[in-house]
Amino acid sequence: MNIAFDMMGGDFAPLEAVKGLQIYLSGTSRPATIFCIGDEAQLKPLFDEYKLSGNSNLRLIHAPEIIGYHEPPTRALKEKPNSSISVGFGLLSKGMVDAFISAGNTGAMLVATMYTIKTIDGVSRPTIPTIVPKLNGATGLLLDVGLNVDCKPEHLNHFAILGSQYAQHILNIENPRVGLLNVGEEEGKGNQLCKETYPLLKENTKINFAGNIEGRDVFQDKADVIVCDGFTGNVILKLAESVYDVALNRNVHDDEYFNRFHYEQYGGTPVLGVAKPVVIGHGISNDKAFMNMISTAEKMIETNLCANIQQSFSA
């Protein structure tokens, strides 16, 4: 198992990336081979400091350029072929690694994914999900959360299949229930998109459709996978992040439920619907977040998630 790791992506890289790598290696007896992509001049001293130099599971790949957060993605990818993101996708597209993870420029990651990694046959549009912590302690999934702000009914229908596959193979939820985010529970409610999506989900034999889900039920246990357009999903995601910030500002610390909202618990979000595993991390990723990004990529490889998605769409 080979994973390409962008060591330069993130506000606190490469230090936190190196520390996350150390945590990962110390916590597993059978680590994957990690292709560490970045500026050797910055990485080698850190590898020495954290006693990673000489580790047989690490391959240092020199990439002297970095795509900044405010650079236009498409232009940056063309003008910086030796950036850590460009090099990482090059390794993935050539089959030298099985997955690629980065907390770098999100736009560049998404553009590079679309241009270098093929969309799985039958998938109308790839999507990005987010984890939903439920009040009963369970975990759910919400998608799309920003990649597709304008959607058609068939897109949401495909998101339901993609989310179900991820929930089943990565979150270990057997026969996950799918809900359509709407303004009411009754069939026929909502805007035109929801009205036209409902019958598609109802007739989709590849999912376990549970009907409409209202906003007040997002954190309840009425569905395991909630589908919506990326505009709505992103608003919910940012609102949830703000609620977590409010909790901290109100001195609500060490709360078992609110702590589950912290990005570091999940590391990153996968791009679902493409042929190979790509995981995008938060720009402020710390060592624990980077460690969890590696673990997510590892699990996607181990469970053959992309192959299972492909089989689901070809059946």
Side-chain angles (χ1 to χ4, degrees):
M1 183 187 303
N2 300 317
I3 298 174
F5 184 5
D6 175 10
M7 306 295 292
M8 311 306 293
D11 292 345
F12 308 114
L15 176 59
E16 292 299 312
V18 171
K19 291 165 62 178
L21 185 59
Q22 184 192 50
I23 296 174
Y24 165 75
L25 291 171
S26 64
T28 178
S29 59
R30 299 181 62 184
T33 298
I34 309 296
F35 287 66
C36 305
I37 307 167
D39 184 7
E40 289 183 351
Q42 297 185 56
L43 291 177
K44 284 185 176 180
L46 290 172
F47 273 42
D48 290 339
E49 180 180 352
Y50 287 90
K51 298 179 173 55
L52 297 177
S53 297
N55 189 303
S56 60
N57 291 101
L58 304 181
R59 306 281 189 275
L60 186 56
I61 308 296
H62 182 51
E65 298 176 322
I66 300 173
I67 296 178
Y69 281 107
H70 301 293
E71 294 187 63
T74 303
R75 188 175 72 185
L77 288 166
K78 290 180 179 179
E79 295 178 351
K80 294 184 175 181
N82 294 315
S83 68
S84 50
I85 289 178
S86 297
V87 173
F89 274 105
L91 294 174
L92 185 61
S93 64
K94 294 174 184 176
M96 297 177 66
V97 296
D98 304 303
F100 178 44
I101 63 175
S102 173
N105 185 306
T106 301
M109 286 293 293
L110 291 173
V111 169
T113 300
M114 299 302 108
Y115 277 94
T116 62
I117 308 301
K118 291 183 178 180
T119 300
I120 292 173
D121 289 341
V123 176
S124 56
R125 285 188 186 178
T127 180
I128 52 175
T130 189
I131 294 295
V132 176
K134 297 183 183 180
L135 285 166
N136 66 350
T139 299
L141 200 69
L142 174 71
L143 68 166
D144 184 274
V145 292
L147 183 56
N148 305 283
V149 294
D150 295 307
C151 292
K152 296 179 180 179
E154 56 264 32
H155 299 148
L156 269 61
N157 193 30
H158 286 179
F159 296 167
I161 300 174
L162 293 169
S164 295
Q165 289 291 316
Y166 190 84
Q168 179 182 345
H169 296 289
I170 305 300
L171 302 182
N172 300 317
I173 301 174
E174 186 176 353
N175 196 25
R177 299 159 296 168
V178 176
L180 173 64
L181 190 63
N182 209 332
V183 295
E185 293 182 352
E186 302 86 2
E187 184 175 355
K189 285 280 189 176
N191 57 16
Q192 197 64 29
L193 175 62
C194 290
K195 289 178 181 178
E196 294 181 9
T197 299
Y198 192 101
L200 294 181
L201 298 178
K202 187 176 180 179
E203 297 168 5
N204 191 340
T205 59
K206 298 178 183 178
I207 64 170
N208 177 18
F209 184 47
N212 288 327
I213 300 295
E214 295 185 272
R216 63 184 177 185
D217 298 321
V218 169
F219 301 111
Q220 301 294 334
D221 194 30
K222 291 192 174 182
D224 303 300
V225 177
I226 301 175
V227 296
C228 61
D229 62 272
F231 183 93
T232 304
N234 192 263
V235 170
I236 292 177
L237 172 62
K238 298 299 173 58
L239 178 62
E241 290 177 345
S242 72
V243 169
Y244 175 73
D245 291 336
V246 169
L248 294 183
N249 290 332
R250 301 287 292 179
N251 293 316
V252 181
H253 297 283
D254 297 322
D255 181 272
E256 183 177 353
Y257 178 68
F258 281 114
N259 286 345
R260 296 177 63 209
F261 279 80
H262 200 291
Y263 72 92
E264 71 175 16
Q265 300 292 330
Y266 314 106
T269 184
V271 181
L272 299 179
V274 294
K276 297 183 180 182
V278 175
V279 180
I280 303 174
H282 204 296
I284 58 172
S285 292
N286 60 13
D287 53 359
K288 185 175 180 181
F290 280 117
M291 180 270 291
N292 282 324
M293 285 176 66
I294 299 173
S295 297
T296 297
E298 197 172 47
K299 194 166 187 179
M300 290 176 72
I301 298 169
E302 288 175 345
T303 59
N304 291 316
L305 177 64
C306 294
N308 282 306
I309 290 175
Q310 187 170 16
Q311 183 177 7
S312 182
F313 275 86
S314 62

